[in-house]
Every structure is written in structure tokens, then in C-alpha cells.
Amino acid sequence: MLSEILQRLQVSGAVDVRLSVDSKNDAAKGLYTKFGFQEEYQRIHYEAIFSP
């Protein structure tokens, strides 16, 4: 499916494709690397959890 989507985007004139993935999701990162995606930069998210 990803291959088809990327092909259609290219045919339609898309210049690039960007996506986000959880840094711990090694399976997804492997898949995207297989399709030619390269890591552009890392974003750090902060979270505050308030317990009841």
C-alpha cells in the first residue's frame, strides 16, 4: 500500500513526502527506511502527568 501511495504522489507531481514516527517504533522506522525515507531531525516531546 505504501508503495502505491508513494508512486501516486510522485506521478501527481509531489516534490517530497514527510512523516512522523515514534522514536521507539523500530518496525515502522525499518519500513520507512526500506522505502527510501531518511531521518531528517529528531523532535523531543515533553509531557507532564498530573495524578488524581
Side-chain angles (χ1 to χ4, degrees):
M1 184 187 293
L2 181 56
S3 178
E4 179 69 20
I5 291 168
L6 294 173
Q7 183 179 13
R8 288 181 185 209
L9 286 168
Q10 188 175 18
V11 168
S12 71
V15 176
D16 62 12
V17 177
R18 298 169 190 265
L19 54 82
S20 297
V21 64
D22 189 307
S23 63
K24 298 175 188 169
N25 191 338
D26 293 329
K29 292 190 309 184
L31 175 69
Y32 299 139
T33 299
K34 179 181 171 182
F35 279 90
F37 285 87
Q38 297 177 353
E39 188 174 314
E40 185 176 34
Y41 62 88
Q42 293 181 354
R43 185 178 294 174
I44 299 172
H45 296 270
Y46 292 90
E47 176 180 47
I49 300 174
F50 298 107
S51 300

